[in-house]
Amino acid sequence: VDGVMLSMPQNKMAVQMGFRELVFMKDLVNIPFIGLAVNAQRIKNDPDYIVRAIKATLKAIRFIKENKEETLKIAARELGMKDRKIGSLVYDDAVKLYSDSGIPAEESMMEDIVHARKIQGLAREVSINEVADWSLARRALELLEKERRGTKR
């Protein structure tokens, strides 16, 4: 085989076995890595629940980014990633994928929209506002920042 696409942690396992990693897909395709999804009815009926879920996710992301060693211990225990070196390599790539704000960059969203338009065969332009509403994420981020400032005093 001349080349193969591998996901984490297999890509780092291959590197450890002597293979070369040619490209990190995030460097080629700027599509949001991960997200939360919920139906419109739940958003309408219980937006505070959604805000709390987003806030908890943002707290987890901050924990991961600020606590590499503890995150590696958790990954070893919960995900079975026992090889510390591979775990560290995976961590170094993975933290680049998480948004600090919970809101993807505009260019990332537009790239995702372009791909979706091609798949759907849609010729017309589509704006970010037609497919995303970041108001709940902004509210969660505000609450998290207030909480963080309150604990620093």
Side-chain angles (χ1 to χ4, degrees):
V1 174
D2 291 327
V4 65
M5 286 184 60
L6 295 172
S7 299
M8 291 186 245
Q10 287 82 11
N11 62 329
K12 299 307 178 186
M13 294 165 80
V15 168
Q16 195 168 18
M17 292 181 345
F19 291 88
R20 281 190 327 158
E21 190 166 32
L22 301 176
V23 67
F24 184 45
M25 286 305 292
K26 184 71 174 166
D27 293 338
L28 296 178
V29 182
N30 195 18
I31 294 176
F33 171 62
I34 194 166
L36 299 175
V38 66
N39 69 43
Q41 191 67 33
R42 184 70 184 251
I43 293 171
K44 182 180 174 189
N45 292 341
D46 199 358
D48 290 340
Y49 176 85
I50 309 306
V51 170
R52 287 191 311 272
I54 295 169
K55 182 179 159 205
T57 302
L58 292 173
K59 279 177 104 167
I61 289 169
R62 285 186 178 176
F63 176 87
I64 290 166
K65 286 185 169 191
E66 295 170 2
N67 298 282
K68 180 176 180 174
E69 292 307 315
E70 189 63 25
T71 299
L72 290 174
K73 287 178 190 172
I74 293 168
R77 184 180 67 239
E78 299 296 325
L79 304 174
M81 231 188 303
K82 303 295 184 202
D83 187 308
R84 170 109 176 53
K85 186 173 181 181
I86 290 174
S88 185
L89 292 169
V90 168
Y91 173 92
D92 292 342
D93 277 353
V95 295
K96 297 174 196 171
L97 302 174
Y98 294 117
S99 165
D100 291 333
S101 67
I103 301 170
E106 189 170 312
E107 60 272 9
S108 175
M109 284 298 298
M110 288 310 299
E111 197 168 319
D112 202 20
I113 288 170
V114 166
H115 290 292
R117 283 179 51 221
K118 285 179 185 172
I119 291 168
Q120 295 292 320
L122 191 61
R124 75 172 182 83
E125 293 296 318
V126 176
S127 72
I128 293 173
N129 292 336
E130 288 181 77
V131 297
D133 175 357
W134 304 116
S135 60
L136 297 178
R138 285 187 189 96
R139 225 165 88 202
L141 190 58
E142 262 179 49
L143 290 172
L144 190 58
E145 290 305 320
K146 283 181 186 176
E147 184 180 288
R148 185 174 248 194
R149 285 193 303 272
T151 58
K152 286 186 176 181
R153 290 183 185 166

